Each structure stands twice: as C-alpha cells, then as structure tokens.
Amino acid sequence: MELMANGVRYHIEVAGEEALPVLVLLHGFTGSTATWKTVIEKWSDYQIVAIDLIGHGQTESPTDESRYAMERQLDDLDFIFEEMKLENFTLLGYSMGGRTALAYACEFPDRIDQLILESASPGLKSEAARQERRKRDTQLATNILNDGLEQFVETWENIPLFDSQKSLPESVRKQVQQERLVQSTVGLANSLKSMGTGSQRSYWDCLSELKMPVLLITGKLDPKFCAIAREMQELLPNAEHRIISAGHAIHVEKPAEFATMVMEQINGINEED
C-alpha cells in the first residue's frame, strides 16, 4: 500500500490478519521491505507492517536534505501509525532502522509494547564524534552522486561490517545486492547526510527512561555492536541481550534463528522455559 505522510509518499507492505498481534519492521541503510522476505514467512502468527523508510525502496526520495532529518522521519512514522490505527505493537528495527526504532520509542513511548533492536545503537555520544561522522557521511554521499549506484554498492558490500556475508550462498548475496542496486542515489545520499549517525541526536540519555521490554540482538562476528548492546543493556531497565553466531545482518545470515528469537520475545517465552 501507499500512504502520504506529511507530503511524502511511503510504501508499506502489510501481511496477516488485522486481529493478530502487530509487528512493525524498519530496514537498514540501502535496504527496503524486501530485506524481511525470508523471515516474514516464519511469522504467520502476526500482522506484519514493513515500511520503506524515506529515500529507500519504493518510498519517495525528496531532493530537500532537511526532509530526511530523524525528527521528521519519526513524525512521518507516527503519522503512518495513526492513519493505520496501530497502537500497542512490537517495533523491530535493523541497523539504521534500529536507530530509528529506538528514537521513535524515546519520542513516542506510549505506542509501543516492546522494542526489538538488531545491530543498533542510540547514536554517538559526543558532538566531536558526530562532527567527524558527518564529514565521512557527506563525502560518501558525494561519492554516491558522482560515481553512481553500482560503484557505491561494490564498495559498500566490501566494507568489513559485511565480511561475514561473503560466505552466504550466492543466491542470498545476489538478493541483497539487487536490493541495494534498485535504490535512489538521491535518496541514499540525503539519508546519509541528514539521517546518519552523525546527524541525529544521541539517545543514550533516554535509555534509562524506557520502561517497555527491549530485546537487543547482535551477531557474534560483529564485536562493535555487541559492545554497544552490552552498554545499552546496563542502562535499559528491562532489556535482554541475545547473541547469534552471525555478523551484522543477522536476519539475512541466520533467518531461522532470528525469526525464532523474535517470536519468543513477542510471545514472552524465555530461554529457560
């Protein structure tokens, strides 16, 4: 379905009966609703609402950089949830989508029953770190616009963060690559510049106020985000941290384990039961 939110047309995919518990999915940078295809098949007991974030997938890619600011993305999401009459749902986000999901939970905590964050962070703590990241992201955005999508994707899929994906079956790697190659250069560039880790505010100070259950999922082969999740868990009042033998994109690398872990969280099943 397509839905206008504050002047931007969003692409949203809905699966499952309305009476079922709702699970909202937010993809990562260079991703789209397509990233969830394999795991959605395992979640037939839920109503799935997968959203293409601004500048990604089939959602519009405005030329105005300021339209991509995290605060405006959160307002768009809240508008979408209001229009779809969604409340008391589970919000799941991966990487950039995880930052977005956490930011939404901090700004609109009453809508969410529980939060599931896959390889996500609350942002960078210091202004100096954010400034350095903004410089890097601006340069990367310039490269995307100047050199084109194919060259960017070739560079992006070879960064150390995705090393573990090189051992995946070729068919899976091709699917991930194709998802990246159909993106908008303007959308990705503006997303980096205005919604990147360097541009958003830090949400570290919000963690202690989040009362809903939070599940942090990270990959054993992704030590940076495992460390971030451990630090987040210490600050969150009601959080669990689970580690899967995978890299950054756990839902791509270990879809069955990831899907089961999410189901257990939603159903309130603990590993000890």
Side-chain angles (χ1 to χ4, degrees):
M1 64 179 283
E2 310 293 311
L3 191 63
M4 292 296 291
N6 302 313
V8 172
R9 178 181 48 77
Y10 276 81
H11 176 74
I12 303 160
E13 296 195 9
V14 182
E17 303 294 325
E18 281 188 24
L20 294 171
V22 177
L23 173 59
V24 175
L25 307 175
L26 305 180
H27 60 79
F29 180 65
T30 74
S32 68
T33 57
T35 196
W36 306 111
K37 185 175 181 294
T38 306
V39 285
I40 283 176
E41 294 168 0
K42 304 176 190 304
W43 291 333
S44 57
D45 292 339
Y46 312 108
Q47 184 189 22
I48 304 297
V49 177
I51 301 171
D52 279 345
L53 295 170
I54 190 167
H56 285 76
Q58 297 176 61
T59 288
E60 278 189 289
S61 299
T63 55
D64 177 9
E65 285 178 31
S66 68
R67 190 61 187 79
Y68 293 70
M70 181 63 83
E71 294 81 4
R72 299 188 74 176
Q73 176 66 91
L74 301 182
D75 285 341
D76 289 352
L77 288 174
D78 198 54
F79 183 91
I80 289 167
F81 299 151
E82 188 75 34
E83 284 289 299
M84 295 182 71
K85 298 180 170 54
L86 298 182
E87 47 188 61
N88 307 119
F89 54 84
T90 298
L91 182 58
L92 187 163
Y94 158 65
S95 201
M96 178 189 79
R99 282 193 289 112
T100 308
L102 177 58
Y104 184 85
C106 288
E107 302 291 351
F108 303 95
D110 295 339
R111 276 199 194 275
I112 302 173
D113 274 345
Q114 49 193 337
L115 190 60
I116 301 177
L117 303 176
E118 175 193 359
S119 306
S121 90
L124 296 167
K125 293 177 183 176
S126 73
E127 179 52 38
R130 288 193 291 275
Q131 189 173 352
E132 176 59 30
R133 183 59 179 266
R134 284 197 299 273
K135 280 170 58 180
R136 284 164 43 203
D137 284 349
T138 298
Q139 183 58 57
L140 188 55
T142 301
N143 294 347
I144 293 172
L145 293 172
N146 290 345
D147 302 334
L149 205 55
E150 285 190 24
Q151 189 163 325
F152 164 70
V153 169
E154 185 179 346
T155 303
W156 187 250
E157 61 191 9
N158 283 294
I159 64 173
L161 194 65
F162 302 124
D163 276 350
S164 55
Q165 293 186 18
K166 291 174 181 174
S167 60
L168 291 172
E170 186 178 0
S171 60
V172 176
R173 286 187 281 119
K174 286 288 185 190
Q175 285 172 1
V176 173
Q177 185 183 66
Q178 188 55 37
E179 188 181 1
R180 290 169 173 157
L181 285 170
V182 296
Q183 300 291 347
S184 154
T185 53
V186 170
L188 294 186
N190 284 344
S191 180
L192 272 173
K193 286 190 278 189
S194 296
M195 200 175 150
T197 319
S199 299
Q200 71 160 74
R201 61 156 281 208
S202 168
Y203 281 94
W204 281 99
D205 61 351
C206 158
L207 298 183
S208 62
E209 299 166 16
L210 286 182
K211 303 294 188 266
M212 77 279 288
V214 181
L215 175 62
L216 306 167
I217 307 177
T218 56
K220 188 177 181 181
L221 305 176
D222 185 11
K224 174 184 173 180
F225 280 86
C226 284
I228 290 170
R230 282 193 292 270
E231 193 173 351
M232 289 171 68
Q233 186 183 18
E234 290 179 8
L235 297 169
L236 288 159
N238 188 9
E240 182 182 1
H241 179 202
R242 306 278 293 275
I243 299 174
I244 296 180
S245 183
H248 192 65
I250 304 150
H251 68 282
V252 173
E253 297 178 38
K254 293 290 178 70
E257 287 180 54
F258 180 80
T260 298
M261 203 170 276
V262 170
M263 283 189 288
E264 289 175 350
Q265 176 71 7
I266 297 175
N267 296 333
I269 300 171
N270 295 316
E271 204 172 32
E272 299 82 38
D273 292 349

